[in-house]
Amino acid sequence: MAKEVIVSAKKVRKRKILNRAVRLALLGLLLFLLILYIILAIIYNEGKFTVILDSNKTLQSGIAIYDNINDTIGKRKLEAESIRFMDNISFKWLPEYIDADELYGPHNGDNYIAYTFFVENQNTEVLNYWYEVVVDDVIKNVDEAIRIRIYRNGESTTYAKKSNLDDTPEQGTTPFRNIKDAESSIILEEVDNFQPGQRDRITVVVWLEGDDPDCTDPLIGGELKMHMVITENHTEPKEE
C-alpha cells in the first residue's frame, strides 16, 4: 500500500513539472510573437511616407523642414499619413487643388497620398540642398505602375519607372534613376542658390497609375515603402 502511494506521488510531481514547463513554453512563445510584432510594426509602420533631414549637421546649418505654416520650428523627421488600400486611378482623377496654398501637412484623398511640407533657409548664408526619394521595400513589383509627382513652389514633375515593354519613359513622366541596389535612390534633385529666409513649398503625391500598361493583375496586393531625404550640399552618388 505504501509503495502505491509513493508511485502516485511521483506521478503527481511529474505532472506538475510537465504542466509548469508547458506554461513556460507557451509564455515564451507568446512573448516572442509579441516582440516580433512590435519589430515588424516599427519596420513597416503601415507604409508611412517620411521626410528626413539627413543629419543634425544639416539642421544646425540652417536648413529647416516643417509641415505646419503656423509652426516654423525645424523638425528632424516629418511623417505623412498612410492609407490602408490604394486602388489604381488615372492622373486625370487627381483634384486640381491638390497643391492649393491653404493645404499643408497630410491631405490624402481616395486612392492617393498627398503631403505638403516646407524647406526653409533659416541661416544668414546662401545654401544649396538636395531632395532625394529612396525606396526601402517593394513587394510584387508594384513600383512598375507607381507615380510620384513632386510640386516645388507650384511647378510639378511626375516621376515613374521606365516601361517594361520598350524601356522608354512613360508618357508625361521623368524616369526614375537607374540604380540597381535594393535600397534605391529613385529621385535626386538639386536646389541651388537657396537664399536666407527663402522658403520652398513641396507637395508629394503618390498614386497607382491605372493607364500604365504595366498596371496588371499580378501587382494586386503589392506594397511600396519609401522616404524622402533633405540634404545640404549632397554629393551625388555615381550610377552604375
Side-chain angles (χ1 to χ4, degrees):
M1 186 72 175
K3 190 173 183 180
E4 290 181 4
V5 172
I6 293 173
V7 171
S8 298
K10 286 182 178 180
K11 288 183 178 179
V12 170
R13 187 160 52 250
K14 286 182 179 179
R15 191 179 300 115
K16 287 183 177 179
I17 294 173
L18 180 61
N19 289 339
R20 188 180 299 119
V22 170
R23 286 198 298 270
L24 289 174
L26 291 174
L27 182 61
L29 179 61
L30 180 62
L31 184 61
F32 170 77
L33 292 175
L34 179 62
I35 293 173
L36 181 62
Y37 172 80
I38 293 172
I39 291 173
L40 291 175
I42 292 173
I43 291 174
Y44 287 96
N45 199 22
E46 294 185 355
K48 285 187 177 179
F49 177 75
T50 58
V51 183
I52 304 169
L53 276 177
D54 77 321
S55 67
N56 286 327
K57 183 178 180 181
T58 300
L59 182 62
Q60 293 167 3
S61 73
I63 293 288
I65 60 172
Y66 49 88
D67 62 4
N68 188 332
I69 198 68
N70 300 311
D71 180 7
T72 61
I73 297 175
K75 308 297 192 300
R76 178 72 175 83
K77 180 180 180 181
L78 305 175
E79 232 176 49
E81 290 180 357
S82 61
I83 55 178
R84 293 187 177 275
F85 177 78
M86 181 184 290
D87 199 356
N88 66 86
I89 60 174
S90 169
F91 72 94
K92 302 171 187 176
W93 301 357
L94 296 173
E96 294 182 6
Y97 58 82
I98 201 166
D99 187 43
D101 290 342
E102 63 271 18
L103 297 176
Y104 52 84
H107 47 98
N108 300 339
D110 290 337
N111 299 309
Y112 67 84
I113 293 173
Y115 183 68
T116 298
F117 67 99
F118 305 90
V119 181
E120 184 176 344
N121 182 357
Q122 296 183 347
N123 203 340
T124 57
E125 300 178 0
V126 178
L127 302 172
N128 299 338
Y129 76 87
W130 297 75
Y131 57 86
E132 179 180 23
V133 176
V134 179
V135 171
D136 302 298
D137 192 19
V138 178
I139 297 176
K140 299 187 71 173
N141 297 319
V142 72
D143 59 327
E144 299 290 348
I146 281 290
R147 295 291 187 272
I148 303 173
R149 179 176 294 173
I150 298 180
Y151 294 81
R152 178 174 167 263
N153 300 327
E155 298 293 326
S156 68
T157 303
T158 303
Y159 300 87
K161 198 171 184 178
K162 288 184 179 180
S163 171
N164 259 337
L165 301 177
D166 53 14
D167 196 37
T168 59
E170 298 288 357
Q171 185 176 5
T173 71
T174 297
F176 290 156
R177 289 162 49 82
N178 186 24
I179 294 182
K180 301 175 183 178
D181 297 336
E183 294 189 0
S184 295
S185 170
I186 58 174
I187 299 171
L188 182 64
E189 301 289 355
E190 181 183 18
V191 177
D192 58 6
N193 198 32
F194 196 44
Q195 298 293 318
Q198 182 176 340
R199 178 171 65 197
D200 282 352
R201 171 192 172 87
I202 296 178
T203 296
V204 181
V205 185
V206 182
W207 75 96
L208 190 63
E209 180 54 60
D211 291 336
D212 190 323
D214 294 320
C215 188
T216 56
D217 287 349
L219 271 59
I220 295 175
E223 296 180 17
L224 177 69
K225 182 177 174 61
M226 60 186 177
H227 67 277
M228 177 179 276
V229 182
I230 307 296
T231 311
E232 180 198 350
N233 292 330
H234 190 291
T235 300
E236 182 175 359
K238 296 180 180 179
E239 296 190 11
E240 296 181 0

